[in-house]
Amino acid sequence: QVQLEESGGGLVQAGGSLRLSCASSGPTFMSMAWFRQAPGKEREFVAQASRSGSKVFYGDYADSVKGRFTISRDNYKNTVSLQMNSLKPEDTAVYYCAAGPIYGSKSIDDYNVWGQGTQVTVSS
């Protein structure tokens, strides 16, 4: 059974940084992404990266994180990371790593393997 394991969440003050990492125990997926879910809200797309042969195509980011978050992917190590800078209280959520077969997708429905999530809390 393929598993995604996230790490790196925690508590940080507004303006601070955190780095999330996700490692896959399975094959190399076409797309790997980060989603997040805040209390009382639906899970939403954050960022994604797709592979093209041995290369990586970095797709779009959610408007709310553009310029602050950076996704990176290592096809050989089968990992994906999310560097989060200039964090805001509204970034507080459970962050999920996801993997799926659709190139460049931002749709939650196109991801069929999910990690258990890691909590990120940003204090004001």
Side-chain angles (χ1 to χ4, degrees):
Q1 184 177 356
V2 177
Q3 290 185 325
L4 300 178
E5 185 172 350
E6 302 109 334
S7 61
L11 173 65
V12 66
Q13 288 188 332
S17 298
L18 282 174
R19 184 177 180 86
L20 306 182
S21 296
C22 173
S24 170
S25 64
T28 302
F29 293 95
M30 176 63 73
S31 286
M32 297 187 77
W34 289 95
F35 290 79
R36 68 185 182 185
Q37 187 166 18
K41 295 187 177 181
E42 294 186 350
R43 194 170 298 188
E44 64 176 6
F45 169 79
V46 175
Q48 72 90 23
S50 298
R51 67 177 175 86
S52 178
S54 61
K55 298 182 180 180
V56 177
F57 166 74
Y58 292 104
D60 204 2
Y61 293 82
D63 288 342
S64 58
V65 307
K66 282 181 180 177
R68 300 188 298 121
F69 290 12
T70 303
I71 189 171
S72 59
R73 177 174 177 173
D74 186 324
N75 287 338
Y76 296 102
K77 295 181 179 178
N78 220 0
T79 60
V80 65
S81 298
L82 186 69
Q83 178 66 41
M84 306 184 294
N85 298 327
S86 302
L87 282 161
K88 304 176 181 180
E90 51 263 44
D91 295 317
T92 295
V94 177
Y95 283 71
Y96 296 90
C97 176
I102 308 299
Y103 183 89
S105 176
K106 299 188 293 184
S107 172
I108 194 171
D109 294 332
D110 290 335
Y111 290 86
N112 53 4
V113 182
W114 291 83
Q116 292 190 334
T118 184
Q119 177 70 46
V120 171
T121 302
V122 184
S123 63
S124 57

